[in-house]
Amino acid sequence: MPQVKFIRPDRTAKVVTIPAGSTVMQAAVSNGVNGIVGECGGSAMCATCHVYVVSPEAEAWPPISSIEDEMLNCTVSERQSNSRLGCQLVLAETSAEVVVELPERQQ
Amino acid sequence: MTQGAPIVIIGAGHAGVQAAASLRDEGWDSGIHLICGEPHLPYHRPPLSKAYIQGKASVASLHLRAEEFYRNSGIELRLGRRAMAIDRQAHSLLLEDGKIAPFSRLVLAMGARRRPLRIPGDDLLGVTVLRTLQDAEQLRDALTACSDLVIIGGGFIGLEVAAAAAREGRRVTVLERQARILERAVSPEMSAALASMHHVAGVRIVVAAHVVGIKGDAGRVTHVDCSETGLIPASHVLIGLGVVAEDTLAASAGLSCPDGVQVDEHLSADGDRIFAIGDCALFPSPSAGRHVRLESVQNANDQARAVARVITGKKEAYTAVPWFWSDQYASKLQIAGLRPPGAACKVWGSPREGRFSVLCFDEGRLVAVESLNRPRDHIIARKLLNCGGRVDEMTAISEMNQS
């Protein structure tokens, strides 16, 4: 099953395992990883599941849609080149190790 | 480790689950019990009228938290069990199985139940409702075999299901009693834009419609009888007439429940013992200047977080600005703030392209913004409304204008 490693701002980390087909946001909220809110339940509506993707590289993920792009401009923590909404990052059974950094704030 | 009775939360919907999680986040280290009448692991409700009925979401993807989360957090989940009575003197609950559950604090997060309105013929086969996961499973199965879906009620549930069914190629009719769809919830301008989207998708909307009854043959629905249109063929009927607060338990215990459980600005219904949050709570809204009861995920989550802070000693008033969303077809409707009836509305953007916002003013002050496919406007609106100060039209337009 896919695994996601969440690196918190204080550099501590938590690894969670979740079913394929779930998103990075679901992996966090479902397992009580504080630092991702996911207020709208994954509809790309609230920008509170903001993550900085460490691996795999950008091409491995679904491309950023125009809605996600607009929402990424609304994140509370600074948008960086590797910023994504966790709810749009879908994990496949064969996903390579997924590592994301959590921003300082979501709200 | 503090001793004593646990905090008991009645209701394991969005509000109840978030309250349990937030109590741990805020440092409550004694017992937390989450009591729920439904037997399922607590789940997200919004997808039920969207992805789930289209067969695009698994049950597992609906769970608010993984099962391990409750165990790891020491939150005792008591599913499939109703609370029958509150003993305010003894600080305890009587449960369905006869057990007595003492509490140090009680959080009422019972949500809402479907408005109890009967329509002749509503017990025919093929007539469905949509409130619970069980209802959604039935509706999802019905949609695979459906030819003609008649939806009674042009509110959010009715319209989201209409969109889902139309995308599946079903013939859909929506019957709305008021003069326009979403009459209670959005501006006339936004109603018109959404109605137009549905027309383009082939959905027939009848407004000012009076449903006489649902007709059937051999126990199965065949038509809906409507005063304005006569008989409409129906293989399936969805009744979506809204909800009322689930406050019976509280009212029976003598708490004030004019429309949901009445609470103060700290979400307290009774001193520092009993609180109410989410769809069942009637709370004072500073921006609306009166008590309101909101049916939204944001309100449930924010009140849950707030009550956890109050209970753990950080006594702050609840002042969060309400916001809400709805998915219909590929469009996203987002609403920030509360629009009183008769608010002056200004359209901003391009309604013809289906991307615009409606700015709503009450006595010259910005009170709400409805946005269709304009997420940036929505986020700006929430920031503006969160300031708490008076935002006039010039300021609002200037903020929306900045790129």
Side-chain angles (χ1 to χ4, degrees):
Chain A
M1 282 215 289
Q3 289 195 326
V4 183
K5 182 174 182 180
F6 294 96
I7 302 177
R8 302 186 190 94
D10 66 4
R11 307 314 293 171
T12 59
K14 181 165 179 174
V15 179
V16 305
T17 304
I18 45 151
S22 309
T23 64
V24 166
M25 183 276 285
Q26 286 168 329
V29 174
S30 195
N31 290 284
V33 174
N34 283 332
I36 289 197
V37 178
E39 190 85 300
C40 71
S43 308
M45 293 257 204
C46 67
T48 64
C49 63
H50 180 203
V51 294
Y52 301 115
V53 180
V54 174
S55 74
E57 72 285 359
E59 292 69 39
W61 298 105
I64 300 181
S65 68
S66 55
I67 290 274
E68 183 183 351
D69 191 49
E70 244 191 283
M71 292 312 293
L72 283 169
N73 287 332
C74 304
T75 52
V76 169
S77 290
E78 193 198 340
R79 180 177 185 175
Q80 293 171 8
S81 61
N82 60 346
S83 282
R84 291 298 304 259
L85 294 185
C87 65
Q88 302 302 300
L89 302 176
V90 183
L91 297 154
E93 188 59 56
T94 53
S95 283
E97 194 203 18
V98 176
V99 181
V100 301
E101 287 175 345
L102 298 174
E104 287 286 343
R105 290 172 53 208
Q106 296 286 359
Q107 292 176 306
Chain B
M1 182 85 164
T2 52
Q3 299 303 314
I7 293 180
V8 177
I9 301 169
I10 304 182
H14 290 259
V17 170
Q18 184 63 58
S22 291
L23 281 164
R24 283 288 178 245
D25 287 344
E26 295 290 341
W28 179 264
D29 62 2
S30 196
I32 299 176
H33 292 190
L34 203 41
I35 296 180
C36 182
E38 287 189 62
H40 317 281
L41 202 62
Y43 56 91
H44 284 272
R45 244 175 247 277
L48 298 184
S49 56
K50 307 172 186 71
Y52 189 73
I53 49 171
Q54 294 177 71
K56 292 177 183 161
S58 65
V59 172
S61 72
L62 294 179
H63 292 148
L64 284 165
R65 300 289 190 282
E67 198 164 359
E68 305 86 77
F69 169 79
Y70 303 97
R71 218 170 23 245
N72 295 343
S73 311
I75 294 168
E76 192 173 316
L77 257 188
R78 294 175 152 193
L79 301 175
R81 231 169 297 193
R82 272 171 222 293
M84 303 303 285
I86 304 170
D87 187 332
R88 288 164 67 188
Q89 306 311 313
H91 309 301
S92 66
L93 284 182
L94 172 66
L95 300 180
E96 203 169 10
D97 54 12
K99 292 204 168 73
I100 305 284
F103 59 81
S104 62
R105 308 285 195 290
L106 183 64
V107 178
L108 303 175
M110 298 151 327
R113 65 178 190 279
R114 286 181 302 105
R115 198 180 296 276
L117 277 180
R118 296 300 304 270
I119 296 173
D122 63 10
D123 49 359
L124 287 164
L125 272 177
V127 179
T128 52
V129 295
L130 182 55
R131 179 70 192 143
T132 64
L133 177 56
Q134 202 167 344
D135 296 335
E137 282 168 353
Q138 280 179 8
L139 183 56
R140 184 199 55 199
D141 293 343
L143 283 181
T144 58
C146 173
S147 58
D148 295 79
L149 176 65
V150 176
I151 297 175
I152 303 177
F156 286 110
I157 294 293
L159 294 177
E160 287 182 353
V161 175
R167 284 178 113 168
E168 301 285 308
R170 312 294 171 226
R171 259 188 306 270
V172 184
T173 307
V174 174
L175 302 175
E176 165 54 47
R177 190 168 55 121
Q178 305 293 346
R180 57 186 174 92
I181 53 169
L182 295 176
E183 197 252 8
R184 198 171 45 103
V186 303
S187 62
E189 292 82 349
M190 191 54 78
S191 278
L194 293 168
S196 170
M197 255 169 39
H198 283 278
H199 289 141
V200 162
V203 172
R204 178 187 179 198
I205 297 179
V206 184
V207 294
H210 292 87
V211 173
V212 175
I214 303 170
K215 307 293 186 192
D217 183 33
R220 246 216 103 78
V221 63
T222 55
H223 296 82
V224 174
D225 188 6
C226 171
S227 302
E228 287 66 25
T229 63
L231 292 175
I232 303 172
S235 65
H236 294 81
V237 175
L238 171 72
I239 300 179
L241 295 174
V243 293
V244 296
E246 182 52 87
D247 57 12
T248 318
L249 197 65
S252 303
L255 292 168
S256 171
C257 301
D259 167 25
V261 184
Q262 188 156 357
V263 298
D264 65 14
E265 72 270 26
H266 301 113
L267 303 170
S268 161
D270 185 11
D272 63 354
R273 288 285 188 173
I274 304 181
F275 301 83
I277 57 175
D279 284 20
C280 77
L282 182 71
F283 68 97
S285 160
S287 54
R290 58 185 172 88
H291 277 72
V292 299
R293 188 179 66 73
L294 297 179
E295 297 161 11
S296 76
V297 165
Q298 167 272 325
N299 184 64
N301 284 334
D302 282 348
Q303 288 191 339
R305 284 187 265 261
V307 86
R309 294 179 65 77
V310 169
I311 288 173
T312 53
K314 303 136 211 154
K315 206 162 184 181
E316 296 150 5
Y318 178 72
T319 57
V321 169
W323 59 271
F324 179 83
W325 87 91
S326 174
D327 284 333
Q328 292 171 39
Y329 305 101
S331 286
K332 292 190 184 309
L333 166 67
Q334 292 165 289
I335 303 173
L338 288 174
R339 180 190 61 91
C345 295
K346 190 175 183 70
V347 173
W348 177 252
S350 178
R352 254 198 302 275
E353 288 172 31
R355 297 183 64 241
F356 70 103
S357 290
V358 180
L359 281 56
C360 307
F361 298 90
D362 185 34
E363 293 176 0
R365 182 177 62 101
L366 184 73
V367 287
V369 177
E370 302 163 352
S371 300
L372 188 65
N373 299 315
R374 300 269 296 212
R376 197 184 138 273
D377 286 0
H378 174 68
I379 299 290
I380 293 172
R382 281 169 55 187
K383 288 197 177 116
L384 284 175
L385 294 168
N386 257 321
C387 289
R390 184 194 165 85
V391 177
D392 63 18
E393 188 172 328
M394 224 168 62
T395 310
I397 301 284
S398 144
E399 292 289 328
M400 295 289 170
N401 225 359
Q402 281 178 25
S403 54

